[in-house]
Amino acid sequence: MDTTVTTATSNGVSPAATLQIHSIIPENPTMAMELPSSFVCLKRQCLGNSPPGEFFLASCPSIALHVLTTCDLDPRDLAKLEATCSFFRKPASFSPDLELSISEVAALDICQKRAIFKRMGEEERQEIKRKCGGSWKLVLSFLLAGEFGNRREKSQPLAGPGHSIALTSKGVVYSFGSNGSGQLGHGTVEDAWQPRPIRSLNGIRIIQAALGADRTMLISDAGDVYAFGKDCFSDPGLDVQETKVITTPQRVKSLTEIFVVQAAIGYHFTAVLSREGRVYTLSWGKDERLGHGTDLNCSLPHPLLGALENIPVVQIAAGFCYLLALAFHPTGMSVYSVGCGLGGKLGHGSTTSEKQPRLIEQFSLLKMEPVMISAGAWHAAVVGRDGRVCTWGWGRYGCLGHGTEDLELAPKVVEGLKDVKAVHVAAGEYTTFVVSDDGQVYSFGCSEANLGQGDVEENNTLTPKLVSSLKETKERVVHVSSTKSVSFPWTGHTFAMTESGTVYAFGSGGRGQLGVNLGDNIMERAEPAKVIGIDLS
């Protein structure tokens, strides 16, 4: 059957543009289904050790690679493909390494989409591959673990002590709240309740932030660290009373030799994490020294010594006077802690302090693989791969969720969440928030710091309770941030961000840290209010 197709030009129909084509549909479709015997014998075998030549995509491996890469498969899925089909195990003859399997090439391609990996040189890439266990799939697991724990390169609001930051996925930074030390980065020391972008950062993409008392740190996709507010980096000889005030973001010179991907601020120290997974700590003249033996006023970064020297870390979390580190192993993840052990917040079964990182062994006994850590001021929390939540440390006001105010010296599973699969946890100042896989939020701890429960009659919530006011928004919550340390009154607050990027705020707002206009003489909000003026979609 012939068909004539006529094409048109701007001047009308062009005879030269008339094409005659032949239909590929035969008059007898049934006859077309009778394939040659040589074609029928080709089988789509893709199990065990079946000959790869009989796999229908073996002749077009580029198609298979494209599918694996664009679907952003999990490293575990790539490993399963290798285990079940020899096509995915054999050398694929793709650059840069002709001996890599197609699953390994796909993992490498997915790694190259990550901002922190793009800027690595070949030697640096090979070194992180070696540290992760010699596989690009393991390197991808390492990168994804860091993204999951930190929401790296994703939108998120952050609740600090008195001030707040909101990051967009494009790297724009908004700030609002208390600004007595210039910690909002706008060039002034005036408080502001309306979220405003930090104009001086135009052209710089920020992927992470950390907030402390009167100070802010920002991390760019180039690994640079910018700090403002009370400056504790420029001159190690300064006393606390003489600390300078910086009102616009300034690059931290002492960290220029380290490609930083995360920062965490405690009360007596700060810590940064390099893209290779190494942890560095700095002290600024107070009581605690974490992992190094320099004098107390040292503002230079020093790598943590001991157990974590050769183990890559994917996430760090700082409490008032202690530090948690989520470490990556080819066989799974583990948690290390260092610092002040009072109250059992290091999780080692005692109140002994540790000057070097020490493995928390309790997770092995619980048969639980940690995937996210959160350090509150005085207590800690972890989410496991199976969705269980563990808490430990000071239990005041019921912030551990175990039904009492007793302290726990080692991680203990929160039984009140046994029917919930958790995907996110945020430990604050005697409060804890848990986000489930269906987007619901549960909270427990001190009601004075506000749990989003409205005007509850109980003084404290000792076991997990659904935050019904967030459920009423009919939006799925994906992230919660809560103030970790309160340095002065009326500063404890919480943010909840939904899947659509909408941010809800509640708690204390007397300095504008909620991003909501509370009105005259109103210092807090008991139920979540939508924050207007920022787009985190």
Side-chain angles (χ1 to χ4, degrees), residues 268-289:
H268 298 315
F269 69 97
T270 189
V272 296
L273 176 65
S274 76
R275 66 179 171 185
E276 296 81 16
R278 190 140 202 199
V279 182
Y280 297 80
T281 58
L282 308 88
S283 175
W284 49 49
K286 285 292 184 179
D287 302 331
E288 296 296 332
R289 284 176 289 180

Side-chain angles (χ1 to χ4, degrees), residues 11 15 54 56 118 168 187 190 227 245 280 306 331 358 372 374 403 443 448 473 488:
N11 296 322
E54 295 187 356
F56 81 107
K118 286 179 183 177
T168 74
E190 297 176 358
V245 168
Y280 297 80
T331 56
R358 179 180 171 187
M372 175 181 287
S374 182
S443 64
E448 291 181 1
T473 66
F488 47 86

Side-chain angles (χ1 to χ4, degrees), residues 55-130:
F55 179 40
F56 81 107
L57 282 179
S59 60
C60 300
S62 295
I63 297 177
L65 177 61
H66 177 73
V67 172
L68 296 181
T69 303
T70 54
C71 289
D72 281 340
L73 290 183
D74 184 272
R76 294 169 183 259
D77 295 327
L78 293 174
K80 289 177 182 177
L81 286 175
E82 286 190 345
T84 57
C85 179
S86 58
F87 170 76
F88 295 99
R89 290 196 300 271
K90 72 169 187 173
S93 299
F94 284 115
S95 62
D97 186 342
L98 302 183
E99 295 301 313
L100 291 180
S101 70
I102 196 168
S103 296
E104 277 287 279
V105 177
L108 176 57
D109 285 352
I110 299 172
C111 287
Q112 290 173 339
K113 297 179 182 179
R114 270 62 198 176
I116 67 172
F117 190 85
K118 286 179 183 177
R119 297 175 180 266
M120 284 187 180
E122 184 58 29
E123 289 186 7
E124 294 169 315
R125 292 183 176 187
Q126 292 299 328
E127 176 60 18
I128 192 63
K129 181 181 178 183
R130 183 194 65 78

Side-chain angles (χ1 to χ4, degrees), residues 190 204 233 285 389 463 479:
E190 297 176 358
I204 300 173
F233 297 102
V389 175
T463 57
H479 175 78

Side-chain angles (χ1 to χ4, degrees), residues 217 225 231-236 251-258 260 270 272 280 282 298-302:
M217 295 175 68
V225 181
D231 174 35
C232 298
F233 297 102
S234 61
D235 187 349
R251 191 176 176 190
V252 180
K253 295 180 180 179
S254 63
L255 296 172
T256 54
E257 298 301 316
I258 303 172
V260 176
T270 189
V272 296
Y280 297 80
L282 308 88
C298 184
S299 64
L300 300 176
H302 290 266

